[in-house]
Amino acid sequence: MTSLEDEEERILGGNNMLLNCLLIVLLLGANFVDCTGQKGHISVILVGATGDLAKKYLWQGLFNLYLNEADRGHSFSFYGGALSPPEKAEGLMFDVLKSLQCPGDVTPDRCALLKDQFLRLGRYRQLKTAENYTALNQDIQNTMSEEGLHESGRLFYLSVPPFTYTDIARSINATCRPLPGAWLRVVLEKPFGHDYASAQQLASDLQMFFKEEEIYRIDHYLGKQTVEQILPFRRQNRKHLDPIWNREYVERVEIVLKETVDAKARTSFYEEYGVIRDVIQNHLTEILTSLSMEVPLNYSKSYDVLQAKLEVMNSLQSLDHSSAVIGQYQDYLMQVREELEKNSNFFTNTQTFAGVLVQIDNTRWEGVPFILTSGKALDERTAYVRVLFKDNSFCLQKEEKTGRAFCKRKQIIFHIGHGDLGFPAILVSRGLFKPKFPSSQWRETTELPLLHLFGQALSDYYVYRPVQEMDAYSLLISNIFYGKKETFVTTKNLLSSWKFWTPLLEILDRESPRVYPGGSENDQLLDFVIENGGLRFAAVEPLEIMGMEQKTNSFASIHSTFLGNSMVSNWDEQLIEKLAQDIQLAAESAVQHSGVFHLALSGGSTPLALFQRLSKHHHGFPWKRTHLWLVDERCVPFTEPDSNFGNIEKYLLQHVRVPYINIHPMPVDRNQRICSEEDLGTEVYAKEISAHVSNSSFDMVLLGLGNDGHTASIFPGAQDGIEGDKLVLFTESPGHPYRRMSLSLSLINKARKVAVLVLGKGKHDIVTLISRAERNPIKWPIFGINPTFGKLVWYIDYDALLK
């Protein structure tokens, strides 16, 4: 063989270090590699080195990085930084380093050697002031100078609260950047803001000091092996998935993260964020984008992947109050009061459970529900993605005899971890296809436990699991080292996510969550169904919940009986929320049944808070199909402050879109006269009701209770309006303005639902009195409310009920 042939064989045989290095640069985008043969020095600085996250995951992840890279040409130094001086924190940090473990495939001798080297490379530095960062930079430069090294890059991992990011970023940018030609990577832990505005402000602050390519926002769920495998799985099985990964074949997608632990010892964080901000806005939304994005031709290119994710985020349909169901475990309020030292009058709307229905407005996924669900104090700890396909097969033969996978529901499950299965895995129904995986990373599991997953035995699936399990932080730290940004959150993607979630959060932060006991006792209380493009709980909240413990809970409304009818009680604000929700449910039911909703509203000051609640927080209310009627009206012009219609117009009608022809004020002002018998205003209103309302039966009537026991404008001692056939009549009030127009009790009793709203300590005496009094409608007109076929529900706040 000639010398030329020898050279050719040497190059093509892979022994050329320069060629191999260039291939690494080309394939991995590793722009920090020095292809002259010396790869250079890398300084890793962990800020927050003695915190819980650092102790549990980050130091182990950095050690795993060193195990993998120690013999590949780079030199390293590892700095732990925190606010405390060395005499307080250095020992704590090195106690953590001494406890680090090697993976099972590393021999004991090699493990001991590398662990000893890692300890020697570790140093603690106090990082409290700008001067501390200047000193750190000098220390790094001195180390390289003394050892004759050149700098490849610096990696700052900020495991600290987000409010400290800006000051730290300023210090790094001012005095601790690497030398020209070396890279800088700054890793940030969530939360990245509380809503769109705060995320935008934080992003703006960071962009003053760092370039976008220098920022690595970490979402550790993207490092979970099953989640990280979603895109490769879709790419490698494109032949089978392309025809079925769309709205024609997919029935729904479930993305679920359940926890058995509660928020105890973390309530200060949870009070600020809640379950949607903590888990769904980030972890589950990132998974959604990986599942639904268009797979780039080269999914190893970070930019293409991130751009495809952004396109999906921008295609998500906006959410409203009907898009979510929310809950709060029963002990949460007590834990908040204890940990945050709140008094017994403190209540909170914070969600510890949420289910959200997300729709994607594009041709691939139009109409396919993506259900994102997470919560604390649930019955099991598990996380999974379930892609359920439409069942369009018909099998004639008995299934137990055929055993054909074709006859069973088809699904693909990305099992992220925990649960009964106990390990990360990807499962594909045998009736779909046998998937392909890189054999060096994933292997088929044939020895399966006798378990059922979503109603089917594990033997009905092809089951694949990682060859070697790796924790999420180790994988992500490796990706940071190699500059693989597709598993991190860019500024554009972050702001797009917050822009999508913030409107819903603003609605839900004012809504009352359903209270659930926690664990297995939840039973079916948190089950929900998809209905009319939204979600609703499947089970009605349990009735007959009485006792003082419930009376101190802001959201577990007392459901009992009062005067033989259903009663709901709570603090005033939560009671108004509950009544508003019930009105909307009645409206939606009526519209679905008959196409229209007839609601009669009483006057006075009591319902004004309800009107404001309906106008500001119930954006999905079917106002265009709603007809609004008055229960009673004072005989004054509509422009007067005493006018019931004037108050309805001011607090409700000016803020919602009810068609003009659907608004029915009482005609107290006719022919330029007020409540004149000659003008026949009562007959006109009765005829109007008969013409529009089927059988003169309102869908819902809202009443109040006067301190003398009157309701509508039917006062004690009056015969008219309590007895007789009149639908509408004039009445006399003992107080100014004296003359009124009112619906009769006989008309009110024809309604499908009557709600009596009673608020405030001033009503305690009358509530107590009528609860003990003889049922005499002439003396106490409220006793005349007895719906013929409908239902009467009392809504009484704690002040009126308990004082």
Side-chain angles (χ1 to χ4, degrees):
M1 186 180 292
T2 66
S3 58
L4 181 60
E5 291 171 331
D6 289 340
E7 179 68 4
E8 183 180 12
E9 181 179 357
R10 186 175 69 82
I11 294 175
L12 296 178
N15 294 323
N16 188 304
M17 292 181 62
L18 178 60
L19 179 60
N20 288 339
C21 181
L22 290 172
L23 286 172
I24 291 173
V25 173
L26 180 64
L27 294 175
L28 299 181
N31 60 356
F32 59 87
V33 174
D34 179 357
C35 290
T36 62
Q38 295 180 348
K39 293 187 176 181
H41 185 77
I42 294 173
S43 302
V44 179
I45 303 97
L46 175 54
V47 185
T50 56
D52 287 341
L53 186 65
K55 293 175 183 177
K56 291 180 180 179
Y57 302 110
L58 302 184
W59 279 119
Q60 184 64 56
L62 293 173
F63 180 51
N64 289 344
L65 174 70
Y66 183 68
L67 287 174
N68 294 327
E69 302 296 332
D71 56 359
R72 296 183 181 178
H74 285 291
S75 59
F76 289 88
S77 56
F78 295 89
Y79 295 86
L83 298 176
S84 300
E87 58 269 21
K88 288 187 177 181
E90 190 170 38
L92 295 174
M93 187 188 89
F94 277 95
D95 286 343
V96 175
L97 269 53
K98 291 172 185 177
S99 66
L100 298 174
Q101 303 292 320
C102 294
D105 60 347
V106 178
T107 65
D109 289 345
R110 175 173 170 77
C111 179
L113 175 64
L114 290 175
K115 188 173 178 180
D116 180 67
Q117 291 176 354
F118 189 75
L119 285 167
R120 292 175 185 273
L121 295 171
R123 306 166 191 179
Y124 179 83
R125 292 291 180 270
Q126 184 179 21
L127 295 177
K128 188 175 183 179
T129 66
E131 290 75 18
N132 293 147
Y133 284 88
T134 303
L136 172 64
N137 181 64
Q138 191 61 51
D139 190 8
I140 293 172
Q141 292 185 2
N142 290 343
T143 298
M144 290 188 296
S145 177
E146 291 168 4
E147 299 184 19
L149 303 171
H150 75 274
E151 188 165 27
S152 240
R154 293 186 194 180
L155 193 163
F156 281 87
Y157 198 121
L158 306 190
S159 179
V160 292
F163 68 83
T164 65
Y165 286 169
T166 302
D167 287 340
I168 294 173
R170 183 180 291 106
S171 296
I172 293 172
N173 182 63
T175 63
C176 214
R177 277 187 168 274
L179 297 172
W183 52 256
L184 171 66
R185 293 184 184 136
V186 181
V187 186
L188 307 173
E189 278 283 348
K190 77 175 186 73
F192 312 121
H194 178 268
D195 53 19
Y196 179 75
S198 59
Q200 192 174 41
Q201 182 61 56
L202 181 57
S204 177
D205 291 345
L206 291 171
Q207 286 174 336
M208 291 191 296
F209 307 112
F210 303 134
K211 301 174 184 176
E212 179 66 29
E213 59 266 26
E214 294 174 334
I215 300 173
Y216 286 69
R217 294 181 185 87
I218 200 164
D219 183 330
H220 78 274
Y221 250 71
L222 293 178
K224 299 282 188 180
Q225 286 176 283
T226 306
V227 176
E228 195 264 347
Q229 187 62 28
I230 291 175
L231 280 181
F233 171 84
R234 290 182 59 193
R235 177 68 174 170
Q236 290 155 6
N237 295 280
R238 206 163 193 168
K239 174 184 175 182
H240 301 289
L241 289 175
D242 270 0
I244 63 172
W245 204 254
N246 55 61
R247 62 192 172 114
E248 301 296 334
Y249 291 89
V250 176
E251 180 179 310
R252 70 173 182 268
V253 179
E254 303 168 2
I255 307 173
V256 178
L257 195 167
K258 296 169 64 178
E259 297 184 273
T260 56
V261 298
D262 59 21
K264 190 173 184 179
R266 293 188 70 219
T267 57
S268 60
F269 171 84
Y270 239 71
E271 272 300 277
E272 186 174 358
Y273 291 94
V275 68
I276 295 179
R277 292 178 174 91
D278 183 34
V279 172
I280 297 179
Q281 177 272 329
N282 37 67
H283 301 335
L284 303 195
T285 303
E286 285 291 332
I287 293 174
L288 181 149
T289 60
S290 295
L291 288 165
S292 59
M293 62 180 271
E294 298 298 319
V295 180
L297 293 176
N298 186 353
Y299 65 87
S300 63
K301 285 188 176 181
S302 298
Y303 175 82
D304 292 352
V305 172
L306 294 169
Q307 191 62 28
K309 286 186 174 184
L310 183 60
E311 289 175 4
V312 170
M313 281 302 310
N314 292 337
S315 299
L316 300 183
Q317 293 183 13
S318 59
L319 304 172
D320 59 34
H321 81 284
S322 67
S323 303
V325 289
I326 54 175
Q328 183 188 94
Y329 66 82
Q330 195 162 9
D331 289 341
Y332 179 78
L333 177 60
M334 178 184 66
Q335 291 169 354
V336 171
R337 287 174 177 171
E338 290 178 355
E339 294 177 18
L340 303 185
E341 299 181 350
K342 301 291 185 180
N343 61 39
S344 60
N345 293 324
F346 175 81
F347 295 99
T348 173
N349 285 350
T350 299
Q351 312 101 30
T352 62
F353 165 83
V356 185
L357 175 62
V358 177
Q359 302 269 7
I360 303 175
D361 188 13
N362 64 26
T363 54
R364 181 185 289 275
W365 296 113
E366 182 183 3
V368 178
F370 284 73
I371 302 170
L372 281 58
T373 305
S374 185
K376 290 189 172 293
L378 301 181
D379 62 321
E380 65 173 335
R381 183 186 183 191
T382 189
Y384 62 85
V385 175
R386 182 187 182 207
V387 182
L388 183 64
F389 292 88
K390 295 177 181 178
D391 186 9
N392 58 1
S393 59
F394 174 78
C395 294
L396 185 63
Q397 198 75 357
K398 286 185 178 181
E399 188 174 312
E400 59 265 26
K401 290 188 177 182
T402 64
R404 292 179 297 169
F406 173 76
C407 302
K408 299 177 180 179
R409 290 303 303 265
K410 300 171 181 62
Q411 48 198 333
I412 296 175
I413 300 164
F414 299 90
H415 191 268
I416 300 169
H418 304 291
D420 291 336
L421 193 58
F423 56 83
I426 297 177
L427 303 89
V428 179
S429 292
R430 291 183 177 270
L432 285 172
F433 59 89
K434 184 170 185 177
K436 294 180 180 179
F437 288 89
S439 58
S440 61
Q441 300 174 20
W442 289 71
R443 60 180 174 85
E444 185 174 4
T445 301
T446 53
E447 296 182 4
L448 299 170
L450 297 176
L451 291 176
H452 281 70
L453 210 59
F454 302 109
Q456 295 182 16
L458 286 185
S459 57
D460 291 338
Y461 301 93
Y462 295 110
V463 182
Y464 287 79
R465 64 183 298 178
V467 172
Q468 180 179 338
E469 291 188 32
M470 180 185 299
D471 78 89
Y473 281 99
S474 293
L475 190 150
L476 291 173
I477 287 171
S478 177
N479 286 352
I480 296 165
F481 180 77
Y482 281 104
K484 298 173 68 175
K485 291 209 69 173
E486 64 268 23
T487 48
F488 300 90
V489 183
T490 66
T491 300
K492 286 184 178 180
N493 292 53
L494 172 70
L495 294 181
S496 179
S497 177
W498 275 120
K499 189 174 183 180
F500 171 71
W501 284 106
T502 296
L504 177 67
L505 289 165
E506 290 175 346
I507 295 171
L508 297 183
D509 285 348
R510 296 185 292 266
E511 298 267 341
S512 296
R514 169 173 287 196
V515 172
Y516 58 97
S520 59
E521 294 182 22
N522 294 335
D523 196 24
Q524 301 175 16
L525 196 59
L526 297 180
D527 293 349
F528 53 84
V529 296
I530 302 172
E531 185 175 272
N532 298 325
L535 298 181
R536 69 166 177 83
F537 282 118
V540 178
E541 289 186 272
L543 300 180
E544 303 298 329
I545 301 177
M546 293 292 291
M548 290 305 294
E549 181 179 350
Q550 290 299 323
K551 292 174 186 175
T552 62
N553 189 304
S554 173
F555 309 113
S557 302
I558 295 176
H559 291 255
S560 185
T561 58
F562 183 73
L563 300 178
N565 294 284
S566 297
M567 179 187 72
V568 181
S569 190
N570 209 322
W571 298 108
D572 56 356
E573 184 177 346
Q574 284 72 39
L575 186 69
I576 290 293
E577 291 179 16
K578 172 63 176 169
L579 177 55
Q581 292 169 4
D582 290 350
I583 293 174
Q584 177 156 344
L585 288 174
E588 292 169 348
S589 176
V591 169
Q592 185 176 11
H593 181 262
S594 61
V596 67
F597 176 55
H598 289 281
L599 172 64
L601 299 172
S602 64
S605 59
T606 298
L608 298 185
L610 174 67
F611 299 160
Q612 291 176 312
R613 179 79 198 178
L614 286 169
S615 67
K616 293 182 179 179
H617 305 300
H618 287 257
H619 306 296
F621 197 100
W623 292 114
K624 291 183 179 179
R625 301 289 187 88
T626 297
H627 283 254
L628 291 179
W629 304 83
L630 268 69
V631 170
D632 60 338
E633 179 60 282
R634 298 178 172 99
C635 290
V636 297
F638 293 152
T639 54
E640 291 290 321
D642 286 331
S643 168
N644 290 340
F645 179 76
N647 284 328
I648 293 174
E649 183 181 39
K650 178 179 179 181
Y651 291 101
L652 181 63
L653 295 178
Q654 290 183 8
H655 310 284
V656 297
R657 295 184 178 181
V658 179
Y660 176 77
I661 59 173
N662 290 4
I663 301 170
H664 307 276
M666 281 185 158
V668 295
D669 187 355
R670 287 172 59 83
N671 301 320
Q672 298 182 345
R673 293 184 292 192
I674 301 294
C675 291
S676 171
E677 296 278 1
E678 298 175 2
D679 293 329
L680 305 176
T682 57
E683 295 181 22
V684 169
Y685 205 57
K687 289 180 181 179
E688 190 175 357
I689 292 171
S690 299
H692 288 85
V693 184
S694 177
N695 299 319
S696 297
S697 177
F698 293 107
D699 294 298
M700 191 166 186
V701 175
L702 175 67
L703 299 177
L705 173 65
N707 289 329
D708 56 0
H710 84 266
T711 193
S713 278
I714 309 298
F715 294 92
Q719 293 280 349
D720 284 349
I722 297 175
E723 301 171 350
D725 297 329
K726 288 185 178 180
L727 300 183
V728 187
L729 69 157
F730 287 120
T731 67
E732 298 296 327
S733 164
H736 180 79
Y738 300 108
R739 196 158 172 78
R740 311 280 181 96
M741 183 184 289
S742 177
L743 304 184
S744 68
L745 299 194
S746 61
L747 175 58
I748 292 171
N749 284 332
K750 297 175 72 173
R752 293 180 175 84
K753 182 174 182 178
V754 178
V756 182
L757 177 61
V758 187
L759 300 176
K761 294 180 180 179
K763 296 296 175 69
H764 176 71
D765 289 344
I766 185 62
V767 168
T768 303
L769 185 60
I770 64 174
S771 70
R772 301 169 182 172
E774 179 186 358
R775 299 195 178 191
N776 182 347
I778 302 298
K779 189 173 184 180
W780 316 104
I782 191 65
F783 284 124
I785 301 299
N786 186 23
T788 308
F789 301 107
K791 182 179 181 181
L792 170 60
V793 181
W794 292 83
Y795 293 82
I796 309 178
D797 76 345
Y798 289 155
D799 284 334
L801 186 67
L802 307 173
K803 202 172 182 179

